[in-house]
Amino acid sequence: MPVGAPVTRLRTLVVVLGDQLDIEAAAFDGFDPVQDAVWMAEVEEESTHVWSSKQRIALFLAAMRHFAQALQAAGRTLHYRRLDDPGNRGSLAAELQATLATLAPQRVVMTAPGDWRVWQALKAVVEGAGLVLEVRDDRHFFGTVREFAAHAKGRKALRLEYFYRELRQRHGVLMQDGQPAGGRWNFDADNREAFGPAGPGAVPPRATFEPHALTREVIALVETRFARHPGTLAGFAWPVTRAQALQALERFVLQRLPLFGRFEDAMWPGEPWLYHSQLSAALNLKLLTAREVVNAAEVAYHAGQVPLQSAEGFVRQILGWREYVRGIYWTQMPGYADRNALDARQDLPAWYWTGNTDMACLRDVLAQTLRHGYAHHIQRLMVTGLFALLLGVRPQQVHAWYLAVYVDAVEWVELPNTLGMSQYGDGGLMASKPYVATGKYIQRMGGPCAGCRYDPALRTGGRACPYSTLYWDFLMRHEKQLAGNARMALQAKNVAQLPQADRSAVARRADAIRIGAPGTVG
Ligand SMILES: Cc1cc2nc3c(=O)[nH]c(=O)nc-3n(C[C@H](O)[C@H](O)[C@H](O)COP(=O)(O)OP(=O)(O)OC[C@H]3O[C@@H](n4cnc5c(N)ncnc54)[C@H](O)[C@@H]3O)c2cc1C
Ligand code: SF4
């Protein structure tokens, strides 16, 4: 600045949230280090509006602090509020309001956020300061919410498959001469293998990242400030920088992706990682872009390192499901969060927060969830999610639990998966039928039934697997509502044929499970 020149008012304040850690994000377009500045804040409310696990809090804070370093190294002026700063106001809204009053920027810019609640709060603050919050499209994703809305317009039901094919074609992913590579869009039928009685054998070790000094500082902070929150930080090893996330991606493609497709739905006790990428948190924090992850899988396929069923299965999760659930969230909010199509009213069992249950499959998944903040998709859908659905837990309580415990949980992706796909709370918008099954499904996919006090083949009696009892009870309770669903026709027929005496026995046992009779569950 020339000597004697008037101090000019800050031109742009760029707001960066904890899940927007991308230095190339649209919010930085046109950023001028002389006239513009960045704002970030760690606040208590983001760890307490749901009872966040220690792993989740630590991951967000550690990644934010590393990103702050990267911004400063790139010469960007940064106003950063730490959680332990004296006078921290505790919420994003209060902190931003104070910053706007002090810095008086001419405009406020951000990349589209991932949470309706946060967006509303920040918008109100910026408007309250007489400014307009400029929200830019998030280039991290392949498509925009507007494109999803155009796809959804006029359709009675939304289905992933059509949306996914459109995106494959539009972005030329795994396409050959206008046709899907290998002549098929879908290899799902090849991707449902279980390991068999011998188990998975040696699985490649997980990519772990020794915490740097900054991360250790965060771990100590979380251990004291959030001491009573769920989970543990011993063994925290998630990637917290872009460089680490890129390493994790490379390791996944080399070591796990080849078998990802075959064993996508399989589980095994004591084996949390199997052939999954463990990249969801790095993706959701925006340390990696969806395009580079999809591209890495496609390149490996073309190089002959990965079979098509694995490359396609993996691409479908990211280019398909991840984009799809984002579209659902932003086109259905805010009403979506309150939906409860099955009128489920039970409370979530308290042992979801401790893992203290006598059901071996749930004990295993809950233990790894609390230890690592991680479970793979089939564990989330067909173990923790399925039990809550069959028990009849309020979807809003299930949602609060999933949002709290997983390191990759951000509302835009967590809510449709939980309330829609897993709990059928949206009445079929997201999934064409409720994902319900007996304990035999868990047994078939590798669950620890052999070491459990319950028997998945039984639906009544003291040794009946609670999943099996509750499955029949669920079908009985929702018999009328599900009768019109063609995809439930077989189950509807089976339950219609159940003799009255069996129905009564199932209902009695289900009631006992619901009230948590001693020695039954929990
Ligand atoms: C009840 C429930 C809650 C969930 N909550 C979340 C959540 O909060 N955050 C989250 O990122 N995912 C969520 N998922 C989706 C999925 O379970 C996780 O993305 C996955 O388990 C993360 O592990 P991974 O990275 O090893 O995934 P992989 O199995 O390696 O899959 C690759 C990638 O595909 C994406 N993906 C896979 N399935 C989905 C899906 N259904 N929706 C969106 N993206 C998907 C993820 O980015 C993932 O990293 C949820 C699923 C269920 C059933
Ligand atoms: S018997 Fe039922 S409760 Fe026990 S591990 Fe198998 S599915 Fe889970």
Side-chain angles (χ1 to χ4, degrees), residues 359-362 439 442-443 447-449 452-456 465-467:
M359 289 180 277
C361 54
L362 270 161
I442 294 174
Q443 182 182 42
C449 302
C452 183
R453 62 172 283 199
Y454 298 112
D455 181 346
C465 165
Y467 284 90

Side-chain angles (χ1 to χ4, degrees), residues 265-326:
D265 284 3
M267 45 190 153
W268 198 258
E271 292 284 354
W273 318 109
L274 294 171
Y275 292 97
H276 293 275
S277 69
Q278 306 146 50
L279 292 174
S280 50
L283 274 162
N284 297 349
L285 296 181
K286 316 292 162 53
L287 298 175
L288 295 173
T289 74
R291 283 164 206 272
E292 70 195 337
V293 173
V294 163
N295 189 46
E298 200 177 5
V299 166
Y301 160 65
H302 288 303
Q305 293 159 350
V306 167
L308 183 55
Q309 77 179 78
S310 278
E312 192 283 319
F314 183 69
V315 165
R316 168 180 293 266
Q317 306 311 314
I318 295 176
L319 179 63
W321 282 111
R322 196 162 175 272
E323 301 275 327
Y324 182 73
V325 300
R326 177 171 180 255

Side-chain angles (χ1 to χ4, degrees), residues 289-463:
T289 74
R291 283 164 206 272
E292 70 195 337
V293 173
V294 163
N295 189 46
E298 200 177 5
V299 166
Y301 160 65
H302 288 303
Q305 293 159 350
V306 167
L308 183 55
Q309 77 179 78
S310 278
E312 192 283 319
F314 183 69
V315 165
R316 168 180 293 266
Q317 306 311 314
I318 295 176
L319 179 63
W321 282 111
R322 196 162 175 272
E323 301 275 327
Y324 182 73
V325 300
R326 177 171 180 255
I328 299 250
Y329 180 80
W330 284 109
T331 52
Q332 301 299 317
M333 282 298 280
Y336 196 73
D338 298 325
R339 295 185 67 173
N340 185 0
L342 295 176
D343 195 25
R345 287 157 185 253
Q346 284 287 311
D347 286 332
L348 187 77
W351 45 259
Y352 264 67
W353 298 99
T354 61
N356 187 14
T357 168
D358 57 10
M359 289 180 277
C361 54
L362 270 161
R363 198 169 54 233
D364 187 56
V365 174
L366 292 171
Q368 78 167 63
T369 295
L370 294 168
R371 180 155 175 227
H372 300 294
Y374 178 86
H376 62 72
H377 187 69
I378 285 300
Q379 294 176 312
R380 295 187 206 196
L381 186 65
M382 299 307 284
V383 181
T384 42
L386 175 60
F387 191 78
L389 171 66
L390 295 178
L391 194 67
V393 178
R394 271 180 205 281
Q396 287 66 34
Q397 291 192 13
V398 188
H399 155 56
W401 183 80
Y402 276 94
L403 189 57
V405 295
Y406 289 108
V407 286
D408 55 27
V410 185
E411 197 175 87
W412 67 266
V413 54
E414 177 279 327
L415 181 67
N417 269 302
T418 303
L419 185 139
M421 186 189 294
S422 156
Q423 301 300 300
Y424 203 69
D426 63 10
L429 183 74
M430 173 87 185
S432 54
K433 62 172 189 139
Y435 283 98
V436 287
T438 66
K440 281 197 268 186
Y441 172 86
I442 294 174
Q443 182 182 42
R444 191 165 62 248
M445 297 317 292
C449 302
C452 183
R453 62 172 283 199
Y454 298 112
D455 181 346
L458 302 176
R459 65 175 167 230
T460 54
R463 288 197 56 241

Side-chain angles (χ1 to χ4, degrees), residues 179-229:
Q179 295 302 313
R184 277 160 62 189
W185 291 104
N186 191 322
F187 294 82
D188 269 3
D190 304 330
N191 288 356
R192 302 215 168 106
E193 244 179 272
F195 293 113
V203 178
R206 170 194 188 203
T208 52
F209 299 90
E210 186 65 28
H212 294 160
L214 259 190
T215 306
R216 290 200 300 273
E217 199 179 276
V218 164
I219 287 174
L221 174 68
V222 175
E223 290 286 20
T224 38
R225 182 109 179 210
F226 302 101
R228 298 190 60 244
H229 281 235

